Amino acid sequence: MVAVASVVVAIGTATGMLSALGDRPDADEARPEVTSSPYLAPLPAVPTPSASASPSASRSASPSPKKKASPSPSPTKTEKRQAPAASTRLYRYPESQVLDWVRSHSGDPRHAVIASRIADQPAAVWFADFTPSNITSRVRAVTSGGRTQGRAPVVVPYAIPDRDCGGASQGGAPDLGAYDGWIDAFAAGLGSGEVIVILEPDSVAQSECLSSDERGRRFASLARAGRVLKAANPKARVYYDAGHSGWNTPATQAGRLRQAGAASADSSDGIFSNVSNFHRTNDEIAYDRQVLDALGGPSSLGAVIDTSRNGNGAPPGGEWCDPSGRKLGRTPTLNTGEARIDGYLWVKLPGESDGCKGAPGTFTPSYAYELAR
């Protein structure tokens, strides 16, 4: 399977909250300064042997995972599958770039469409910087708000060392020991209410740049992270990186996920796919079910899908940077009506530019309006 690695980009000094950068009053272009917005650019829409526009184009186009053979897991938990409670609603955190734009641009002719179709929807909150001193309080600010409203926030820890294989989103913790400590502090902020954790986008699907030993250590750290998160809050639902339907084969992805702890009910509730990408929901449903079947583990494992920008499917030719003609996908929900699909989530906030229609990571109303209308 030919694949090109992802292009996840963390811009600026993330605070774990999406804050407004807005547009200049006299222009429809996002301000270049980024002060506090974790940002995710999409994975390549269609894998290709070469992608000169991608920061990771120099990497091997045909990765061959070097994982150690391991026996199929023998889970001790064999309970019947239980999807998230139907009463659980998703939490809309009241701080984001789109919300700040809506509050300050009531007279803009695009205001009503952007407000109703994007700003009113719950979206994930990213924690993309390595700041051990305040990560607990920042996570708690999100989860406590969700608990007060009886709703489930979606949080994204994104600080794994060597993330993005040294590409545009390189960074994260200095080493796995520091990362483990950061995860401990992150978990301390989860509280006791419902919360969904999207654990480290690209950390499993995009690991071909690591040696076999390095991959094993990363996967061990991710397995530990899942156990720590779920032990800190038994109501937390932790999902692991499955890439997307146009990337690794289900068998390849499942093999990596198994090493990373995704098949164990002690660390995992399943997998996530299509983060910041454009693949159609039905394609992701089919792919995720194949990954789950190959993964094994308890029947309780399910999948969540990022549907924020996949309404028209993936663009032709593998275009990934703010491709034209895309639309919003299905609205966020934990009631999909699909077997083994726990939710449709907006992990990527629609309207935040990949860097072509506006400055990277900033909310660009022209792009948001194009997606929403």
Side-chain angles (χ1 to χ4, degrees), residues 254-286:
R256 295 180 182 181
L257 283 161
R258 193 177 304 113
Q259 293 181 78
S264 169
D266 291 332
S267 55
S268 170
D269 291 279
I271 61 175
F272 64 82
S273 72
N274 207 42
V275 165
S276 199
N277 215 286
F278 306 91
H279 294 274
R280 291 188 183 276
T281 302
N282 287 342
D283 293 336
E284 293 303 299
I285 290 173

Side-chain angles (χ1 to χ4, degrees), residues 75-91:
T76 58
K77 297 183 179 181
T78 58
E79 70 274 9
K80 292 184 179 179
R81 165 160 176 72
Q82 293 181 346
S87 60
T88 300
R89 297 172 295 172
L90 291 166
Y91 175 58

